[in-house]
Amino acid sequence: MIEIKDLVKIFHRGSVNEVLALSGINLDIRQGDFITIIGSNGAGKSTLLNCLAGSLTIDSGHIRVGSEDVSRWPEHQRATLISRVFQDPLLGTCGSLSIEQNLALANRRGKVHGLGPGVKRSDQELFRKQLALLGLGLENRLKDKVGLLSGGQRQALTLLMATLIKPQILLLDEHTAALDPKTAQQVLELTQQLIAEQHLTALMVTHNMRQALQLGNRLIMLHGGRVILDISGKDKEKMTVEDLLEQFYKVRGEAFVSDRMLLV
Amino acid sequence: MTYFAFMGALEQGFAYGFLVLGVYLTFRVLDFPDLTVDGSLPLGAAVSAVTISAGVNPFVSLLFALAAGFAAGAVTGILNTKFKILHLLASILTMIALYSVNLRVMGRPNMTLLGKATVLDPLTNAGIGMFNAAPLLFGIFSALALLLLFWLLHTAFGLAMQATGANRQMITSQGVNTDRVIILTVGLSNGFAAVSGALLCQSQGAADVNMGVGTIVAGLASVIVGETLFGCRSIGRALLAALLGSLVYRLAIALALSLKLGQFSFTPSDLNLLTALLVVIALTLPGLRNKVWRR
């Protein structure tokens, strides 16, 4: 359903600092896939997500969502199909607006923001019901400014906003990394719950290998801007953290060898 | 201060009310320091003077001024968003370009409206003196502008506008084209500045190409003085504070000008110094107040 073909992204093209961040990514994401993405720093995980969301323009290749080729779409247009949750809890919500105003903006994702009332009375009931599902007591604080909430509460709200209108694909970029362990667990459970209930297609970047194995139905490992491992179903279930580490060191070793071959 | 000086300050405060509300929109809501107003205020005056001289109804001339100011602001917005020029620089470029445009519009450096119809005529014809008519009418206009902005900021577009200023990544991820929001908002802000210029030109009886010098400083001074004195906890409060700030600013200037200390008195040429001092006081007052409270 989502097709990524020969995706290439180069930073600082033509300068001495040129970096090949993504060197020909090919990925077929099926409807309902919940894919966890792992890889070392600089492997291209966040770059891949940013290229999908449109905050980075791609150098070559194609991104298809459903029947649409979105490769050249600007970020705000892609937001009609793609929603995302950032690592920074402050990025996904607007602190100076109230909870209901944030939700009202999310409830209009991909539609015209015209001169009708920002928060409609009929929406408030829906917002209250959805907020109650988070179990954080936010349903009684519709008029509170989001800036008053904690990082965990903001991240939970961002998740709700990202799924209020069902996206074709949900991008999660280490969205629990900035939270304390207990809150991170809560947000993770909420993530699983929302994805399962709405049968969402999701991509989740994580640094936690156990998490990557526990969650989702498919796992990919990136290294040097390439997909070096793509397992799903039974293969993924059988995989252990040790197996993953072995894979990880294997490619790093190979990269090391090839570097040395170049130098010698 | 005499009664006439007081009413004159009110008249100025309300006439500049549109500008101040516009500056609030760019400076506070959008976080876009916009110097275009130094050019769009005299543009509004010029357009109003020229259209009235051509026989257009003075109220309709305000709409022409609004449209011209909007176009000027939109240019700044486009320079910033489409051509990626830093907001401050983009607005300075439009501002200096407008100086030439304003001379073209009028065909000369200044233009009088002596004997021509103005928006004040219906009131003065009804027997209200000029000194009361202008503050009254401009007060009503300013109140309407305030209500309009209050409504606008609570629409879906208004929420997108606020979010564009506060968190551009978030609102882009919600599918809003922030370029468009910036262009429209800076346009609206300058439309308001131009209406201020048109009202000033009609009450003073002349448009002058140099009448815009220091407009942005006066606008910022009013917004900041208003915030310091009246608070800005909600949108409604902040809008009201900006408008009241405009009145306080003009009254403070009038008061300073009427001040006599022995041989010494301020002259209009001291205005810039006074304005700078006023803004410094308004900016440092909240910090000083906190320090005193803590002790």
Side-chain angles (χ1 to χ4, degrees), chain B residues 244-284:
Chain B
L244 292 177
S246 178
L247 294 180
V248 171
Y249 172 71
R250 294 296 157 186
L251 284 172
I253 298 285
L255 202 64
L257 287 178
S258 67
L259 202 66
K260 278 197 175 57
L261 297 164
Q263 287 292 311
F264 179 80
S265 67
F266 288 111
T267 69
S269 59
D270 297 324
L271 252 169
N272 285 3
L273 178 66
L274 288 172
T275 301
L277 283 176
L278 197 67
V279 175
V280 171
I281 292 170
L283 281 174
T284 48

Side-chain angles (χ1 to χ4, degrees), chain A residues 2 5 41 58 79 125 129 148-149 157 160 169 202 213 223 239:
Chain A
I2 290 147
K5 214 164 180 284
N41 289 324
I58 61 177
E125 207 40 53
K129 221 167 68 192
L148 300 170
L149 305 185
L157 182 61
L160 183 59
I169 183 163
L213 287 171
H223 187 79
M239 197 73 131

Side-chain angles (χ1 to χ4, degrees), chain B residues 94-111:
Chain B
T94 314
M95 179 188 85
I96 61 152
L98 281 174
Y99 189 85
S100 304
V101 172
N102 294 342
L103 283 169
R104 278 279 174 194
V105 169
M106 290 191 288
R108 62 196 116 145
N110 51 54
M111 200 170 171

